[in-house]
Amino acid sequence: MDLFLHNSMTRRRELFVPLDPAHVRIYVCGPTVYDLAHLGNARPVVVFDTLVRLLRRLFPRVTYVRNITDVDDKIIARAAETDEPIASLTARTAHDFHEDMAALGALAPDIEPRATLHIAEMIALIERLIAKGNAYVAKGPEGEHVLFSVASFPAYGRLSGRSREDMIAGARVEIAPYKRDPADFVLWKPSGPDQPGWESPWGRGRPGWHIECSAMSWRHLGSDFDIHGGGSDLLFPHHENEIAQSRCAFPGSHFVRVWLHNGMLRVNGEKMAKSLGNFFTVRDVLAAAPGEAVRFLLLKTHYRSELDFSFAALAEARKELDRFYRALARNPDRPERPIPAPVMAALADDLNTPAAIASLHALADQALAGDAEAAAGLAAAGPVLGLLGADPEAWFQGGVQADAPAIEAAIAERRAARAARDFARADKIRADLAAQGILLEDGPAGTTWRRAS
RNA sequence: GGUCCGGUGGCAGAGUGGUCAUGCAGCGGACUGCAAAUCCGCGUACGUCGGUUCGAUUCCGGCCCGGACCUCCA
């Protein structure tokens, strides 16, 4: 099946043709580990996890690299604020990140490089850039900086669609006096005694943010690879700078074949961001609903669109999943079936998860009517979306405080009351359980219970 | 100010040059002791003004509105 992806570089939907059909290589910008992930940070993780799941269905081998940035000025600032050693802060935050992403059903990437373990590659890259005339050393007050010379790369601005004039005109940054050109950006900067630093040809210092991703993608995927993903807010300057660095360091290479960018998560119409203070951490959200519901919510909107988060929308996502799990529960004996064609077709069309989910609803309709084939299709489609992997009973009964034997006892008592036509008593029992968040359903096969939604 | 993206029914959210998105909510009915779940049925839509066309929500242009980026940011 042909896969089409919307390439940010060309702004068009394109047929995806891997450089090596036997091995697809993808890089996604990972977190800077200084604080708990918020839901906006989770969106690219879930989106690209889904893409990788799809790629694995379509190609024999996929290598998925997602980095961890563990050297950064925000990390330094946070560590100083809280008086926690940097190594402890980054290790703890990375651990929490892994836990949160696992809760959202995101598989671990094949390779998760850490910036601090790739300093040598960064230095090597910077040396190449200096040797080729794309970077220069500049003396600042604290020591030697290495800057990338934007003027040396004529294609600069192609990804973001900006001219150099635009960038300079709109620049809100104070321009460091040692820059030759206002658009030049830092590859290496000096570190003070209180800052993390590594020995380099330019003295003790640390890398700029952009060079990290160029170095890690080069090390693990080579100078040319298929897909690079990240949030749309990274398009400029981060990804533009990566292109400049990588292509200049390896003349003749194209660096990335397809650029993919997910839309921003919003709250009340504004981008969710730490700097705006309008964020919910993944943990905040997981307290309100299972991780699968959170994942489903993120997949209900196409990855390139903006998504306005609300707890009401999360509750709705959970109810939709209820329906799917009910359809599975009604058909416990299901044959093995491939992923239904409409689901694959939707996903292969620029990862149209909302359309895929609409197909799931159609399958659920049939499955609820007793069609085991449809239920089998539904179950088969789950894994490619990272959904429906739970046992239906666990889905419906998870998170309830009361213990099962007590609930069963109450149900038995109610059954006796109903048999005696003592409906007042029966309804009282049902109401008491409802007060504990437990919902009863009387069916032909008896009474079952589930958590209230 | 510059670059880019978008405005679809109560809400969420796909898509298309000419019969259906889909879900949630709502309404009516069936089922139920009553519910829940399920089933059947119903309604409301394509920001605005022009243009192209036999026909536009879909293509083109103007306008209005919203958002992202231009600084760290997923």
Side-chain angles (χ1 to χ4, degrees):
Chain A
M1 174 172 281
D2 286 342
L3 170 64
F4 289 85
L5 295 171
H6 180 95
N7 188 349
S8 304
M9 181 61 89
T10 58
R11 286 177 203 148
R12 292 167 65 153
R13 181 177 167 279
E14 297 172 349
L15 176 65
F16 175 65
V17 182
L19 292 162
D20 174 1
H23 184 192
V24 173
R25 290 162 291 159
I26 173 170
Y27 184 93
V28 175
C29 291
T32 299
V33 282
Y34 69 102
D35 201 358
L36 286 173
H38 67 236
L39 197 56
N41 301 124
R43 172 124 95 141
V45 174
V46 167
V47 161
F48 292 111
D49 175 65
T50 307
L51 175 64
V52 167
R53 286 168 185 262
L54 177 65
L55 289 169
R56 291 194 202 287
R57 303 278 175 160
L58 300 175
F59 299 97
R61 183 176 167 213
V62 177
T63 297
Y64 173 26
V65 179
R66 187 185 65 212
N67 70 291
I68 284 185
T69 295
D70 56 357
V71 51
D72 178 88
D73 288 0
K74 268 193 291 222
I75 295 172
I76 298 172
R78 175 62 59 93
E81 257 167 52
T82 59
D83 208 25
E84 181 178 10
I86 284 176
S88 154
L89 171 65
T90 56
R92 182 170 54 78
T93 309
H95 173 267
D96 291 345
F97 177 79
H98 289 146
E99 216 170 73
D100 289 349
M101 297 311 119
L104 300 182
L107 304 171
D110 298 297
I111 302 168
E112 190 173 54
R114 296 191 180 218
T116 51
L117 299 179
H118 294 75
I119 302 292
E121 286 87 343
M122 295 178 209
I123 290 173
L125 224 46
I126 294 169
E127 286 184 309
R128 288 180 75 105
L129 290 171
I130 293 173
K132 291 177 194 304
N134 298 107
Y136 59 94
V137 180
K139 279 242 186 287
E142 312 92 26
E144 290 191 340
H145 294 67
V146 184
L147 294 157
F148 184 90
S149 170
V150 166
S152 73
F153 182 56
Y156 193 82
R158 255 190 67 199
L159 175 66
S160 54
R162 304 162 201 267
S163 67
R164 265 175 43 76
E165 294 70 45
D166 293 340
M167 291 182 275
I168 294 163
R172 283 179 261 161
V173 229
E174 210 174 304
I175 294 151
Y178 47 80
K179 284 191 183 181
R180 282 186 198 165
D181 185 297
D184 291 351
F185 57 91
V186 172
L187 300 173
W188 189 266
K189 55 187 163 188
S191 290
D194 297 337
Q195 294 168 322
W198 290 262
E199 288 309 322
S200 80
W202 319 286
R204 185 172 175 278
R206 60 191 190 279
W209 179 41
H210 312 297
I211 197 70
E212 299 179 11
C213 283
S214 282
M216 290 186 273
S217 63
W218 166 49
R219 165 75 176 76
H220 296 286
L221 296 176
S223 57
D224 280 274
F225 55 96
D226 298 300
I227 299 172
H228 189 130
S232 63
D233 52 351
L234 298 186
L235 205 141
F236 186 88
H238 185 53
H239 292 159
E240 196 76 76
N241 292 354
E242 276 188 59
I243 293 169
Q245 294 161 344
S246 295
R247 291 190 53 187
C248 289
F250 304 102
S253 76
H254 286 277
F255 186 38
V256 169
R257 193 75 156 239
V258 182
W259 285 91
L260 260 29
H261 290 94
N262 63 275
M264 294 295 98
L265 196 83
R266 307 198 299 194
V267 180
N268 296 322
E270 267 195 324
K271 175 179 163 183
M272 183 182 285
K274 292 207 170 128
S275 52
L276 293 173
N278 63 347
F279 62 91
F280 296 102
T281 64
V282 172
R283 286 167 189 218
D284 290 336
V285 176
L286 286 173
E292 188 176 349
V294 179
R295 181 187 181 94
F296 187 70
L297 173 64
L298 293 175
L299 294 178
K300 270 173 54 119
T301 300
H302 184 85
Y303 76 91
R304 279 192 289 110
S305 300
E306 294 176 326
L307 191 172
D308 211 319
F309 172 78
S310 70
F311 284 96
L314 178 59
E316 187 180 319
R318 188 178 187 172
K319 290 186 78 162
E320 278 185 63
L321 281 172
D322 279 351
R323 182 177 162 76
F324 294 147
Y325 273 112
R326 189 132 41 217
L328 294 180
R330 297 252 169 113
N331 297 275
D333 298 316
R334 298 183 296 267
E336 283 288 321
R337 287 293 178 266
I339 299 170
V343 174
M344 280 303 275
L347 294 177
D349 181 12
D350 195 28
L351 205 66
N352 192 339
T353 50
I357 289 167
S359 304
L360 257 39
H361 278 290
L363 290 166
D365 279 344
Q366 296 170 261
L368 284 164
D371 183 344
E373 288 289 328
L378 186 62
V384 72
L385 292 162
L387 299 170
L388 304 178
D391 176 63
E393 189 169 296
W395 170 260
F396 284 116
Q397 301 189 341
V400 165
Q401 294 299 314
D403 62 318
I407 297 169
E408 293 302 336
I411 288 174
E413 192 188 341
R414 175 167 169 273
R415 181 168 49 233
R418 290 179 75 207
R421 303 199 66 79
D422 182 356
F423 295 121
R425 176 72 193 138
D427 290 350
K428 170 78 164 66
I429 293 167
R430 186 169 62 191
D432 287 348
L433 287 172
Q436 300 173 62
I438 294 155
L439 220 88
L440 297 188
E441 295 184 348
D442 298 329
T447 299
T448 57
W449 66 273
R450 64 183 170 95
R451 45 112 186 108
S453 44

